[in-house]
Amino acid sequence: MLHVQKNKLVTNVAISQVEVRQMEIDWYCGNYGTIIGQAATLAGFAFTQLTTPIPAGNSFPRHLDFVYVFLTAIVLGLELSCIILSSSITVWAPSLALKGKSGTADLHKAIDCLKDYHSYMFMYFIVGWILFFISNIFQVWIYFKRSVAVAVTVPLGAVVVMLLWYTISITTQLRLDEDSAVKGKIDHFLPYEGIADIDSNLSSYRAVGSGQGERFCPVHESHGGLQMSTRSAPSPEFTTMRPAAINEAHNQRLLIKAQAY
């Protein structure tokens, strides 16, 4: 009775940790979703600019059209990269966290991946917007007269400067350093994360013709491999051995049994 209550307590605490980590997944996926939507809008603007013919015969400065097209192409590439990478991450990271065979370890791995790419996607997104405004300044010099271009360059240049200023200011004030940020992972639960899928491994264990009344504890390969104890009580030699030695002894016993069959 007591061991059932103890197992229930450990399971409930592990579920609570998963719920906390699920909040992190939702937060990251929400940010990636916002970036995808805004990047798609900006990519559409950039593609429209690339497909619009440059007027011939205007007296714009030399090589200005090349700089304009070059910046617009960079904007399109950056935003498409945001869309493709963010979509891939938001699809496969929750899938790994939900269906991974390593259980909580795969959950931690998925969140670490979401965290690692988060800053890169945000940087791609912001740089794309800044370059888009700069390319618009070049665009007005190509499509309009000099007097109109000068009148448009001043406010657009001010917008670019303000965008840079406020982006840096807000990011430095609100962005948390990874070392100081609170994580949902509880390191004290690491020993319990080694327990594998009991139902799946128990079915495989019975399929090989194991006897009844034998002990069984499935463990992930990263925690020493799948160990199956066939003793009703531990022998004295096991009580004085380290975990690595115990794992090796288990494997040797299983190998001897396999050879006997």
Side-chain angles (χ1 to χ4, degrees):
M1 183 66 181
L2 287 179
H3 78 278
V4 174
Q5 294 298 327
K6 288 170 62 179
N7 292 340
K8 179 181 178 181
L9 176 62
V10 172
T11 302
N12 291 337
V13 175
I15 292 175
S16 299
Q17 178 188 211
V18 171
E19 292 175 350
V20 173
R21 302 243 75 183
Q22 180 64 42
M23 296 172 62
E24 295 183 78
I25 292 181
D26 294 340
W27 181 77
Y28 281 117
C29 290
N31 290 343
Y32 282 117
T34 301
I35 291 176
I36 290 173
Q38 299 298 322
T41 301
L42 182 54
F45 292 157
F47 182 77
T48 302
Q49 290 184 353
L50 285 178
T51 55
T52 302
I54 296 178
N58 287 7
S59 58
F60 51 82
R62 187 179 180 183
H63 302 311
L64 195 62
D65 54 345
F66 171 79
V67 178
Y68 162 69
V69 174
F70 180 74
L71 290 176
T72 306
I74 292 178
V75 172
L76 182 60
L78 287 175
E79 300 311 311
L80 288 179
S81 297
C82 286
I83 296 172
I84 295 173
L85 296 179
S86 298
S87 299
S88 300
I89 293 172
T90 53
V91 168
W92 298 119
S95 175
L96 176 63
L98 180 64
K99 301 179 180 180
K101 290 186 177 181
S102 297
T104 311
D106 282 335
L107 172 64
H108 299 325
K109 181 180 178 181
I111 295 176
D112 290 340
C113 182
L114 289 169
K115 177 184 66 177
D116 292 340
Y117 284 92
H118 188 256
S119 298
Y120 292 107
M121 294 302 100
F122 181 75
M123 182 181 65
Y124 281 11
F125 175 70
I126 294 298
V127 171
W129 272 108
I130 294 173
L131 294 181
F132 176 73
F133 279 109
I134 296 176
S135 69
N136 285 337
I137 295 176
F138 287 99
Q139 183 185 31
V140 297
W141 282 90
I142 295 174
Y143 286 86
F144 300 94
K145 296 184 296 185
R146 185 181 298 270
S147 59
V148 177
V150 172
V152 175
T153 300
V154 174
L156 277 181
V159 169
V160 173
V161 174
M162 292 175 60
L163 181 62
L164 281 171
W165 172 265
Y166 284 112
T167 299
I168 296 174
S169 176
I170 293 174
T171 302
T172 53
Q173 292 183 38
L174 299 181
R175 184 177 182 272
L176 284 174
D177 186 73
E178 295 298 338
D179 296 332
S180 59
V182 178
K183 299 179 181 179
K185 182 180 180 180
I186 303 176
D187 295 331
H188 293 289
F189 293 161
L190 184 61
Y192 298 105
E193 295 175 5
I195 301 177
D197 188 344
I198 298 178
D199 176 66
S200 176
N201 288 278
L202 188 59
S203 299
S204 302
Y205 182 58
R206 288 175 176 174
V208 298
S210 302
Q212 297 181 354
E214 298 176 347
R215 285 187 172 184
F216 173 76
C217 182
V219 181
H220 292 305
E221 294 181 357
S222 58
H223 291 76
L226 184 62
Q227 310 300 330
M228 293 177 286
S229 175
T230 57
R231 288 178 173 268
S232 59
S235 61
E237 60 178 316
F238 273 58
T239 59
T240 58
M241 297 172 65
R242 294 181 179 273
I246 294 176
N247 292 339
E248 184 178 357
H250 274 295
N251 292 331
Q252 291 179 355
R253 291 177 181 275
L254 293 176
L255 180 60
I256 294 174
K257 284 190 173 184
Q259 293 176 350
Y261 283 109

